[in-house]
Amino acid sequence: MPQAVFDALTQIVDALSKGQGVSVVPMDAMLTTQQAADYLGISRPTLIKLLESGAISFELVGRHRRIRLRDLVEYQDDLRKKRRRALRDLSSEAVREGFFDPDADAPVKTR
């Protein structure tokens, strides 16, 4: 079983064990802008800005924007990778500048 499938099933079982609801949706499902914003945990106007900037692809159905779930997941994964890379870079810089010692045994008192 691929790791991604195992992780997804683990999250489903965890949510169900906590009494939470779970939805299984095909990756090709088309979502409204409100559904997409809710999925990402952002406001609808913020999502619209992301769509218009080209950060997330969408389709027009008449006058309405529709976003494929697969594109939202891809955007979320890319954002997560960028954040981790930025944190890694900041941590490396902090070590180089002497603000952080990764080998220190005890926390340093700041007050």
Side-chain angles (χ1 to χ4, degrees), residues 33-47:
T33 53
Q34 188 60 59
Q35 290 170 326
D38 291 344
Y39 177 83
L40 293 176
I42 60 176
S43 69
R44 189 175 162 280
T46 300
L47 175 73

Side-chain angles (χ1 to χ4, degrees), residues 77-93:
D77 288 343
D78 289 344
L79 189 59
R80 187 175 296 118
K81 288 175 187 174
K82 288 176 184 174
R83 286 178 176 164
R84 285 185 181 152
R85 192 176 316 118
L87 180 59
R88 191 171 44 250
D89 292 346
L90 285 171
S91 297
S92 296
E93 185 177 333

Side-chain angles (χ1 to χ4, degrees), residues 23 25 28-45 47-48 51 56 65-69 72-73 76:
S23 297
V25 180
D28 287 334
M30 299 298 281
L31 305 178
T32 66
T33 53
Q34 188 60 59
Q35 290 170 326
D38 291 344
Y39 177 83
L40 293 176
I42 60 176
S43 69
R44 189 175 162 280
L47 175 73
I48 298 299
L51 297 177
I56 303 172
R65 297 174 189 92
R66 294 291 183 258
I67 304 97
R68 197 172 303 278
L69 177 59
L72 290 177
V73 171
Q76 207 171 33

